[in-house]
Amino acid sequence: MGGNTLTIREVTARAVIAPLERPIRAAVGTIPWAPLVLVDVGTAEGIIGSAYLFAYTPVALAPLARLVEDIGKEIHGRPVVPVERMRDFDRRFRLIGWQGLIGMAVAGLDMAFWDALGKAADRPVAVLLGGEPKPLMAYDSYGVVDPKADEPAIIRSVESGFRGIKIKIGDGDLRKDVETVAAVRTMIGPGVSLMVDYNQSLDPAEACRRIERLIDYDIHWVEEPVPAEDIHGHARVRAATSVRIQTGENWWFPCDMAKAIAAGASDFAMLDIMKIGGVTGWLSAMGQAEAASLPVSSHTFVEASAHVLAVTPTAHWLEHLDIAGAILAERCELADGKVRARGPGLGLQWDEQAIKRYLS
């Protein structure tokens, strides 16, 4: 090992249920709080690398945190070399597979490794990856909206500089979809991009029927109109409409992305850094996107995503959805509708007093 190599000493994971400024309401249910697992990789050199995982449901918190720590025991004494550790994980978990809690745990560890390396170098991760922190175009991400009740918030988003607004639909019939989309388009005007997300709630035939009625409202993309794993259904919807289709947040590791590209499932790629394999997985995925000419947007994890999008050749939009701000000493920087990566590392600093309040 070289003289600057960090060595893993211990891995700790804490489960918290953090409040959200805006509950995430979708066609498939509501998420009022953010169940998070906070990952800390301590090193023999005194540097601590940190990351967080979004468990979606409190039921997954305890097993996910325990899995992170159990995997951490297996890598005690190993150097903090993310690509080599990911190869080790691939060999270790190939028989059981990546999807689910194992994939989430591995990605959290990978992000923490990169954070540790950035802190050791006193540089943002974006710089370690050969780029630099830069302003990234962000859209404000809403759940299912009530056009009357949510109008002031949506107008404030536009006035603060956001050039894109995303809303979730599909929680009712087609008439409700059209009324909601029409109302939001009127609120934001013609110069702001409007994205809609069905959250996997339709079958291909119904998706085609509904999307056809939304064409007049200049929809930037329709996200996950059918179940995420139905890549051929996505391809069918994409072929049947002139509205562009967005998917990818549920691709597990770059291998899932390759399958979706081969099927022609999407006009874009929306990568979730937790599901795509952390920073290391993202680097492989962004190469696939460049080769396939797919614009890449991020899904949640705004702090880490700002680093990897900064070096993504086909970077498109950053989703502004603050799920961890309540337990961070500083929320992500937002100026004129843009987000810039913060360092050193991933720029995460825990608010320990808040964590004590929200420990699960």
Side-chain angles (χ1 to χ4, degrees):
M1 295 188 295
N4 295 325
T5 302
L6 300 177
T7 304
I8 299 165
R9 187 190 69 224
E10 63 178 350
V11 173
T12 59
R14 292 177 287 177
V16 300
I17 300 181
L20 294 170
E21 289 188 328
R22 289 197 304 249
I24 304 171
R25 294 175 294 177
V28 294
T30 298
I31 301 176
W33 296 71
L36 305 175
V37 172
L38 313 185
V39 180
D40 289 303
V41 175
T43 67
E45 293 74 20
I47 301 292
I48 298 176
S50 300
Y52 65 85
L53 300 169
F54 183 34
Y56 286 86
T57 171
V59 174
L61 275 175
L64 180 56
R66 186 166 58 249
L67 185 58
V68 169
E69 291 195 339
D70 286 346
I71 295 173
K73 293 173 185 175
E74 294 187 357
I75 57 175
H76 175 84
R78 302 282 185 89
V80 180
V81 185
V83 172
E84 290 303 319
R85 297 291 71 77
M86 190 63 76
R87 288 171 180 162
D88 291 343
F89 293 146
D90 184 35
R91 289 190 291 269
R92 176 69 174 84
F93 299 115
R94 178 170 291 277
L95 294 182
I96 194 171
W98 288 102
Q99 186 168 334
L101 296 186
I102 288 177
M104 294 161 71
V106 164
L109 288 166
D110 180 84
M111 286 187 275
F113 295 157
W114 282 100
D115 183 60
L117 293 176
K119 288 175 177 173
D122 196 27
R123 295 287 187 273
V125 166
V127 173
L128 297 189
L129 299 176
E132 62 181 356
K134 59 185 177 181
L136 298 165
M137 182 171 61
Y139 65 83
D140 208 1
S141 189
Y142 283 78
V144 172
V145 298
D146 178 321
K148 290 185 179 179
D150 292 313
E151 181 176 10
I154 292 171
I155 291 175
R156 281 197 301 272
S157 293
V158 174
E159 289 177 345
S160 71
F162 283 107
R163 307 313 299 161
I165 298 291
K166 186 172 81 175
I167 61 171
K168 298 182 186 295
I169 55 177
D171 63 321
D173 58 15
L174 174 56
R175 179 180 176 180
K176 183 178 181 183
D177 288 352
V178 173
E179 289 176 349
T180 300
V181 169
V184 174
R185 172 50 76 194
T186 298
M187 290 176 210
I188 67 178
V192 177
S193 295
L194 176 59
M195 302 85 158
V196 299
D197 183 358
Y198 272 109
N199 275 122
Q200 312 180 54
S201 60
L202 308 174
D203 60 54
E206 180 65 8
C208 292
R209 186 177 81 91
R210 294 199 186 199
I211 293 170
E212 190 67 23
R213 291 288 301 277
L214 302 178
I215 289 175
D216 292 342
Y217 302 101
D218 188 20
I219 303 300
H220 191 64
W221 72 53
V222 173
E223 188 173 327
E224 288 194 330
V226 302
E229 68 274 12
D230 187 2
I231 56 177
H232 298 290
H234 274 95
R236 175 181 165 188
V237 175
R238 182 185 175 210
T241 178
S242 60
V243 180
R244 293 174 294 183
I245 302 301
Q246 172 74 280
T247 187
E249 70 185 66
N250 288 297
W251 292 339
W252 286 96
F253 293 83
C255 57
D256 263 8
M257 182 177 185
K259 295 173 186 175
I261 291 174
S266 185
D267 294 285
F268 304 106
M270 176 174 282
L271 303 182
D272 181 298
I273 195 168
M274 180 181 72
K275 294 183 179 179
I276 207 68
V279 175
T280 301
W282 185 293
L283 297 178
S284 175
M286 77 181 192
Q288 291 188 45
E290 182 180 23
S293 297
L294 286 180
V296 172
S297 296
S298 64
H299 179 249
T300 66
F301 300 98
V302 59
E303 301 86 5
S305 296
H307 290 269
V308 290
L309 268 180
V311 298
T312 299
T314 58
H316 193 200
W317 290 91
L318 182 141
E319 180 177 37
H320 185 260
L321 184 59
D322 184 5
I323 62 173
I327 50 86
L328 295 177
E330 293 184 65
R331 294 178 183 266
C332 68
E333 294 182 32
L334 179 66
D336 193 28
K338 296 181 174 66
V339 171
R340 184 193 297 267
R342 184 171 59 209
L346 295 175
L348 298 174
Q349 183 179 350
W350 305 135
D351 180 339
E352 292 295 342
Q353 291 303 312
I355 289 170
K356 288 179 182 178
R357 291 197 298 273
Y358 304 127
L359 277 173
S360 173

